[in-house]
Amino acid sequence: MKETALMMIGAALVNNVILARFLGLCSFMGVTTRIDTAAGMGMATTFVITVSAMADWAVQHYVLDAYGLGFLRTVTFILVIASAVQFTEMIIRKVSPTLFQMLGIYLPLITTNCAVLGVALLLVEGNMSLIGATLFAFASAAGYSLVMVIFAGLRERLVLAQVPRLFAGPPIAFIVAGLLAMAFMGFSGISTV
Amino acid sequence: MLSAVGTLTTMGLVLGGLLGTAARYLAVEENPIEAELQSLLPGSQCGQCGYVGCAQAAAALARGEALVTLCPPGGKAIAEALAAKLGIKVDLSAVADDGPRLAVVAEEICTGCCRCSKVCSTDAIVGAAKQIHNVIREACTGCGACIERCPTEAMSLVPLPVTLQHWIWPMPANV
Amino acid sequence: MGYFERIFKEPRWGVHPDDHKRPAADAALRLLPPPARVYMPLSQHVGGAARPIVLVGQQVHKGQLLAEAQGNISAPIHAPVSGKVSSIGEVTAPHASGLGFGAIVIDSDFADRWIDTDPVADPFSLSPEEITRRTAAAGVVGLGGATFPSALKFSLGKRLAVGTLIVNGGECEPYLSSDDRIMRDSADQVVDGVRIVMHAIGARVALVGIEDNKPEAIAAMRKAAAAYPEVRIRPVPSRYPMGSDKQLIQALTGKEVPADARAAEVGVLVHNVSTCAAVHQAVRLGRPLVERIVTVNGGAVARPGNIFVPLGTQVDELLAFCGLNEAPSRLILGGPMMGTLLAHGRVPLVKGVSGIIAFDAREAAVPRAGPCVRCGSCTKACPMGLLPLEMAAHIRSGDLAGAVDFSLTDCIACGCCAYVCPSHIPLVQYFSHAKGELAARERTRLRSEAAKRLAEARLIRLERESREKAEAAARRQAERKAAKALAAASASQAQAVVT
Amino acid sequence: MPSNYKTIIKDGLWDNNGVFSMLLGMCPTMAMTTSATNGFGMGLATAAVMAASSFLVAVFRKRITQEVRIPVYILIVAAMVTLVDLAMNAWMHELYKVLGLFIPLIVSNCLPLARLEAFAARSEALPSLADGLFMGLGFTIALTVIGGVREIIGSGTLFADASLLLGPAFRSMELRFLPADMGVLMMVLPPGGFFVTGYLVVAKRLLDLKAGKEIQMTGAHSVG
């Protein structure tokens, strides 16, 4: 139990997907201009990461390992992720139109979000059980969402600031992200998983 | 080799089939935002955006085919409202918004042909045949539809004159 | 918190600028000789411009009606001098934009002949409605600067059964002393006006708030009000903007006016001391508002003081009367905190002008604005409890809705924030710009809504026309067919007859 | 469409540089630039994938239907990545071990996909090959520069271990600027990646400004 909790904290904060592992940076820079869009992207991505992590775990265990096809990992995983995204979109649209209105426009963008593929690949390297893998994926995704929302909040303030012309836009965002990464380094004492 | 091809093919088939079936059973028709967009547009059906009327423009916006800056009479205010409704961000500094405009009749050229009053979508031009026409300021949207129809080039658009009531303090110069 | 502390404790909001009121406030009131020509604007009040009823070339007496009120919110205009109407046209408005507006120009005959007035010996025998009518006919508007027609405020106070009249003798703006002067010189008139207003709105108590930096005015008013226990003189701490409605109400009654409500809704009504004096003139003497006291002050003025001037006098003429040490580097109508910046002095004085300030080069120097350092001084100074730095930041980045979320609409443009800003950021200009922009958007929205209605009406009309056309065509066709059938029938009949 | 090779080269290497102008492919840019060598290796791998996939997409562009083009592009890129992955594992095993996870992640790097959409899908095979190659080389340059700056400030060396990772021929590139304990560790850690990238984007703007070019201050935000 304690180990699982530490593993989850480690995945969410210490080895944060965005700030420590540098996954999903495109969405980190692209969809964090407003808090609500960042939160929407975070929720959608959390969902997809968790679902596709389970699917990828199954593919790895029952198909690739079983037939010794490790080299097909990249191709099969991206195939599974793309399908999972598509599937998620259709289900959400059918089940909850409100949720779809919130997350709809972000879903297609997730296919090429490297956080999804990255987490799946990390799982395979970690050799986890299905439950462990699911929890790890969820925790990583939660950490991703957290950082997205925090950064979006910072950028909402940044828009109001008078930034030197040359630094306006992405450069100042990078520097702020660097400061945020420094802040997250403070978590490294919590857990070492 | 064969097992690799087989695996990929099987996965392709399974996933493709799954998605295809799902698409059939989970199909949902849309798009409720169109009506909301249309309510934001001026509704004068002037056609300056390139679509037949405001309803068509709203449909194009909902499909994502048109830019939110499509409505010249709406200016920045409508572009901003549309962007907010569609949940997108636009750079409005490029939108040419030289303020509301007004059609005026050059009385010495007007022949009283009534062509302009027929195209006016808000009935803002009054005047009987062979009488000099006039524009009702309050009703004119400045869409410019009448300009093209005038055979004697008596119609023109002028900026709405700035009065004490309309004057706005300028933004302070940036530091 | 006790009542005592509530009044005398230093408020936490606002600023305390150097008031620069003396020596101008101590100089005796002077009379401006009637100018050769006055420019009487048609719009000297909030609301619709007055409609001229005199003709060019017409001889008018002082106090004669020149233009009548037009619309629900409006006020009439009267001749400030006797003479001849020389023209009716546009003059430069006393407004930062420097745009023009309509005015009636009168060439003075220097006789200053009044029209026959209709004095009332005992105004308290008149009904409140009659007092309101007389005040409206005299063109009295809020002389503190808001220029809202006073009679309308009377009716509002009567309707909402306001119990307390607050009389604003705060005059918190630096440099200005016209209210101070009127209380010192004509305290009896002011108190009489206060009592007439109380009668008009049915108030039981009047609280006269006077800033404690005007001891002479407080003494004079106490003396004048000694016989009337319902008129209470209340010194208030000198703190800018004590003269603002909401701040004065809070200082005197402890009541806070809600953000989206009017003062009358907490049971009070605010009138300026000069307005009360004008009501006294209008009701007791039957004299319309055609003259007022104007403070002329500032480093560039040789003999600063308070001058009694006919409305419509050009600013330059008044400045020449007081003498100039140097060409003014900046000319402000009203106080330095909230006044209107003028491009030149060729503009007429209007009812709401309590002072003219001509700054010399030293006073007019504006330091360069720097970036915001987030010191928070402006939030501490803001009497409305707003966050000026946040609002300005949102406005600068074009996010007006964000500024409104920070209650931009509650800003009273008092200028405290800009006054205390160590970076000299022109905060009030940001807010004025944003408010103007918001108003413009609202106008655009209303316009486009109206256009939508018109377009829909047109579609319905076109439909009806085409339907009627089709019906008419069908009818004609039917008639023709019937006629044909008839003709055929009669032809066959004829044939039958023939055969 | 610029089929002019000079424009393609100039665009790819500087004007439209994937990292500094378009801000695409940020993940490997940040993660794999702890040293110049790593950046160089990652860049080359990406360049190879981009060149190959651009060429393939351009060749088959008329056969790919509009609706399924994105999945097809992803699959083509994924296949190329797998090839590069296997090749590097075989011939540059040391470098492969360092780059690890980020080789398969080239699949979801938005730079290759963006170029396929923007260029290869509408151009002839050879210009597409050139575009992919030079965009990839521009990416390599950016990564090497970022890696170099971080390495110099962070650990005081430049191209350390180049001989180990790329082969003995690169030994002459290994340099040391600062004594071993002078480095600012922060630069090698994650925050350094953000800081250096931010400042380098500013530096590029400054150079463009000096050259009298119009610069775009907002920058292209792309998601993927």
Side-chain angles (χ1 to χ4, degrees):
Chain A
M1 191 60 219
K2 190 180 159 202
E3 241 167 56
T4 317
L6 273 181
M7 183 269 287
M8 286 182 73
I9 290 174
L13 299 178
V14 183
N15 288 318
N16 186 276
V17 178
I18 294 177
L19 296 176
R21 293 196 199 271
F22 291 122
L23 296 169
L25 282 180
C26 294
S27 58
F28 178 61
M29 285 291 158
V31 246
T32 49
T33 42
R34 280 171 51 207
I35 289 185
D36 45 353
T37 49
M41 185 68 181
M43 279 160 69
T45 311
T46 305
F47 192 82
V48 171
I49 285 183
T50 317
V51 168
S52 61
M54 289 192 279
D56 283 338
W57 185 89
V59 168
Q60 176 73 25
H61 269 248
Y62 298 117
V63 181
L64 300 185
D65 283 355
Y67 299 99
L69 293 169
F71 63 92
L72 279 183
R73 206 168 61 191
T74 316
V75 184
T76 47
F77 276 19
I78 199 82
L79 209 65
V80 168
I81 290 169
S83 314
V85 170
Q86 198 74 41
F87 199 63
T88 311
E89 186 181 335
M90 283 191 283
I91 289 188
I92 293 183
R93 185 187 284 196
K94 185 75 186 175
V95 175
S96 166
T98 7
L99 195 64
F100 181 72
Q101 226 174 11
M102 274 164 60
L103 308 183
I105 52 170
Y106 309 114
L107 285 165
L109 308 177
I110 297 173
T111 314
T112 49
N113 187 335
C114 36
V116 184
L117 186 58
V119 170
L121 292 173
L122 282 171
L123 286 176
V124 173
E125 292 187 354
N127 257 334
M128 298 180 182
S129 67
L130 178 59
I131 294 177
T134 312
L135 288 178
F136 178 83
F138 180 76
S140 301
Y144 169 89
S145 309
L146 177 71
V147 170
M148 289 287 280
V149 171
I150 292 177
F151 192 56
L154 288 170
R155 282 185 88 173
E156 277 194 3
R157 302 290 311 168
L158 209 53
V159 170
L160 304 175
Q162 284 166 296
V163 179
R165 214 167 72 88
L166 274 174
F167 281 83
I172 192 73
F174 278 125
I175 290 164
V176 171
L179 294 174
L180 190 59
M182 279 171 76
F184 265 70
M185 280 174 64
F187 287 121
S188 54
I190 296 179
S191 146
T192 47
V193 177
Chain B
M1 172 73 195
L2 220 60
S3 63
V5 172
T7 312
L8 274 186
T9 318
T10 321
M11 276 187 68
L13 284 177
V14 169
L15 292 173
L18 201 68
L19 285 180
T21 329
R24 173 170 303 179
Y25 286 104
L26 298 176
V28 178
E29 76 294 335
E30 20 195 356
N31 186 342
I33 201 164
E34 204 177 304
E36 286 176 48
L37 290 173
Q38 200 187 336
S39 71
L40 290 175
L41 290 169
S44 53
Q45 328 289 351
C46 70
Q48 276 186 87
C49 51
Y51 297 94
V52 185
C54 294
Q56 286 77 6
L61 277 169
R63 287 195 304 271
E65 287 168 7
L67 294 172
V68 288
T69 51
L70 86 173
C71 182
K76 268 186 198 175
I78 283 190
E80 219 164 70
L82 290 175
K85 179 62 74 190
L86 289 168
I88 53 177
K89 241 183 140 66
V90 281
D91 182 18
L92 290 173
S93 55
V95 181
D97 188 359
D98 22 276
R101 290 155 87 80
L102 191 69
V104 290
V105 179
E107 291 171 7
E108 60 281 5
I109 317 180
C110 176
T111 56
C113 67
C114 280
R115 276 180 220 183
C116 53
S117 62
K118 285 206 185 87
V119 293
C120 181
S121 59
T122 53
D123 282 338
I125 306 175
V126 290
K130 309 263 185 222
Q131 303 290 317
I132 293 167
H133 298 340
N134 212 333
V135 179
I136 302 171
R137 274 181 178 222
E138 285 71 27
C140 176
T141 58
C143 72
C146 47
I147 311 266
E148 287 151 31
R149 294 304 298 268
C150 183
T152 57
E153 293 182 7
M155 306 284 310
S156 57
L157 280 183
V158 294
L160 211 61
V162 180
T163 64
L164 284 181
Q165 286 76 35
H166 292 120
W167 185 77
I168 296 173
W169 267 97
M171 183 84 124
N174 242 331
V175 291
Chain C
M1 208 191 329
Y3 202 61
F4 185 83
E5 281 114 322
R6 209 180 262 169
I7 293 176
F8 291 101
K9 203 180 149 230
E10 190 84 340
R12 276 174 308 234
W13 43 257
V15 292
H16 196 122
D18 232 354
D19 69 8
H20 294 282
K21 286 184 192 279
R22 293 161 208 267
D26 294 333
L29 186 68
R30 279 170 282 168
L31 281 177
L32 182 78
R37 175 174 273 191
V38 292
Y39 305 82
M40 202 57 182
L42 297 171
S43 182
Q44 305 187 28
H45 45 260
V46 174
R51 198 167 59 88
I53 56 160
V54 289
L55 301 173
V56 174
Q58 188 178 335
Q59 205 71 33
V60 292
H61 290 305
K62 186 170 180 176
Q64 186 175 335
L65 186 65
L66 294 178
E68 59 188 16
Q70 185 177 232
N72 288 335
I73 302 177
S74 185
I77 307 293
H78 303 79
V81 294
S82 61
K84 199 173 81 178
V85 176
S86 68
S87 65
I88 299 175
E90 273 212 344
V91 298
T92 309
H95 191 261
S97 65
L99 293 167
F101 68 162
I104 297 176
V105 185
I106 301 173
D107 283 341
S108 172
D109 60 7
F110 302 101
D112 248 10
R113 269 188 315 259
W114 270 93
I115 42 156
D116 300 327
T117 53
D118 175 21
V120 179
D122 179 16
F124 301 101
S125 63
L126 298 176
S127 70
E129 287 73 25
E130 180 59 16
I131 291 175
T132 306
R133 197 193 59 73
R134 281 173 184 255
T135 309
V140 178
V141 300
L143 295 184
T147 67
F148 190 81
S150 301
L152 291 173
K153 255 164 114 175
F154 290 180
S155 334
L156 179 78
K158 184 102 186 108
R159 202 171 60 239
L160 295 177
V162 165
T164 309
L165 171 68
I166 302 256
V167 181
N168 188 347
E171 196 161 56
C172 52
E173 279 255 18
Y175 289 92
L176 299 185
S177 52
S178 63
D179 288 350
D180 186 11
R181 209 60 240 175
I182 209 166
M183 288 188 285
R184 288 198 214 181
D185 295 340
S186 334
D188 292 329
Q189 289 189 21
V190 174
V191 171
D192 187 55
V194 169
R195 292 177 57 235
I196 296 174
V197 175
M198 284 173 73
H199 179 57
I201 62 175
R204 291 179 306 278
V205 173
L207 300 176
V208 185
I210 305 173
E211 275 195 355
D212 56 15
N213 61 354
K214 307 185 216 353
E216 299 91 343
I218 294 173
M221 288 293 287
R222 283 221 163 112
K223 195 162 152 251
Y228 310 107
E230 72 275 21
V231 180
R232 298 173 194 161
I233 312 298
R234 285 280 156 76
V236 290
S238 310
R239 186 118 188 127
Y240 180 84
M242 187 55 87
S244 160
D245 284 9
K246 294 192 175 183
Q247 279 63 37
L248 188 65
I249 291 171
Q250 191 162 21
L252 286 176
T253 67
K255 287 179 190 158
E256 189 169 340
V257 183
D260 49 354
R262 282 171 301 188
E265 285 164 49
V266 294
V268 299
L269 205 63
V270 183
H271 277 285
N272 182 270
V273 284
S274 297
T275 316
C276 291
V279 171
H280 158 84
Q281 293 268 335
V283 178
R284 201 170 281 263
L285 308 180
R287 287 187 170 187
L289 178 62
V290 291
E291 294 156 313
R292 70 161 294 158
I293 299 178
V294 175
T295 308
V296 182
N297 207 344
V301 180
R303 292 181 302 281
N306 284 287
I307 325 287
F308 195 61
V309 280
L311 297 174
T313 307
Q314 275 201 343
V315 168
D316 271 349
E317 219 161 320
L318 187 55
L319 286 175
F321 175 75
C322 294
L324 288 173
N325 297 326
E326 55 178 284
S329 298
R330 194 183 321 150
L331 213 51
I332 300 169
L333 221 55
M337 301 292 280
M338 294 184 70
T340 308
L341 198 65
L342 294 183
H344 55 73
R346 295 181 300 282
V347 299
L349 288 169
V350 290
K351 291 174 181 174
V353 173
S354 46
I356 297 171
I357 299 169
F359 278 150
D360 59 21
R362 189 184 52 81
E363 287 171 312
V366 181
R368 242 176 76 91
C372 175
V373 294
R374 288 164 205 284
C375 62
S377 305
C378 50
T379 60
K380 223 184 281 172
C382 181
M384 302 306 289
L386 309 179
L387 299 173
L389 79 163
E390 290 288 338
M391 298 199 293
H394 278 94
I395 295 165
R396 189 170 38 229
S397 63
D399 177 17
L400 292 188
V404 172
D405 285 344
F406 280 99
S407 305
L408 173 69
T409 44
D410 285 339
C411 167
I412 55 171
C414 65
C416 288
C417 47
Y419 177 82
V420 297
C421 181
S423 289
H424 310 292
I425 299 170
L427 289 159
V428 180
Q429 195 183 340
Y430 279 109
F431 306 150
S432 307
H433 165 77
K435 286 177 195 167
E437 190 66 43
L438 286 171
R441 284 191 193 171
E442 179 62 15
R443 275 197 301 275
T444 314
R445 195 183 61 78
L446 288 176
R447 242 184 121 80
S448 66
E449 253 172 35
K452 207 177 282 184
R453 269 200 309 281
L454 285 169
E456 276 160 16
R458 176 173 183 264
L459 285 182
I460 293 170
R461 192 201 76 204
L462 289 181
E463 221 166 79
R464 195 192 61 224
E465 277 177 4
S466 70
R467 198 179 56 235
E468 279 171 3
K469 215 178 267 177
E471 274 169 14
R475 208 169 39 242
R476 265 201 310 281
Q477 205 166 11
E479 274 168 18
R480 220 174 312 141
K481 213 182 245 167
K484 224 185 221 163
L486 201 69
S490 57
S492 63
Q493 226 168 16
Q495 215 164 16
V497 171
V498 170
T499 48
Chain D
M1 224 52 275
S3 53
N4 182 346
Y5 289 101
K6 212 173 140 192
T7 336
I8 293 178
I9 295 173
K10 214 162 145 259
D11 255 8
L13 296 187
W14 183 261
D15 282 350
N16 225 349
N17 186 288
V19 174
F20 292 136
S21 291
M22 297 197 288
L23 299 173
L24 292 172
M26 292 325 293
C27 308
T29 306
M30 299 285 169
M32 282 303 121
T33 51
T34 47
S35 74
T37 317
N38 287 353
F40 185 66
M42 184 70 210
L44 281 188
T46 313
V49 170
M50 285 182 69
S53 48
S54 280
F55 180 75
L56 276 181
V57 166
V59 167
F60 292 113
R61 70 180 190 283
K62 297 211 172 100
R63 309 250 164 149
I64 302 171
T65 47
Q66 199 63 13
E67 288 75 28
V68 294
R69 69 183 195 287
I70 300 281
V72 171
Y73 293 166
I74 291 182
L75 276 183
I76 289 178
V77 175
M80 293 305 113
V81 168
T82 309
L83 284 184
V84 170
D85 187 85
L86 294 174
M88 284 184 81
N89 198 357
W91 293 316
M92 288 187 258
H93 191 67
E94 290 302 319
L95 186 59
Y96 177 80
K97 274 203 296 198
V98 175
L99 300 182
L101 187 64
F102 278 85
I103 295 289
L105 280 182
I106 297 176
V107 180
S108 48
N109 182 335
C110 17
L111 188 58
L113 266 183
R115 290 323 289 174
L116 293 185
E117 268 284 274
F119 196 96
R122 302 174 210 163
S123 311
E124 294 296 325
L126 281 182
S128 298
L129 180 65
D131 180 75
L133 184 63
F134 283 102
M135 273 291 164
L137 287 181
F139 189 68
T140 311
I141 291 172
L143 259 62
T144 315
V145 171
I146 296 175
V149 173
R150 285 178 73 181
E151 193 182 350
I152 291 173
I153 305 176
S155 43
T157 57
L158 188 62
F159 289 110
D161 301 334
S163 56
L164 208 64
L165 299 179
L166 303 175
F170 291 88
R171 182 173 298 280
S172 59
M173 288 171 68
E174 292 179 24
L175 299 169
R176 171 162 283 282
F177 287 87
L178 302 168
D181 52 354
M182 280 277 287
V184 184
L185 183 63
M186 186 57 72
M187 282 299 160
V188 188
L189 291 174
F194 288 110
F195 289 138
V196 171
T197 312
Y199 279 103
L200 285 177
V201 172
V202 173
K204 179 177 187 283
R205 286 178 173 185
L206 213 57
L207 288 176
D208 278 348
L209 214 59
K210 283 255 167 65
K213 280 183 210 164
E214 187 103 339
I215 51 169
Q216 205 192 351
M217 284 306 181
T218 42
H221 278 312
S222 161
V223 180

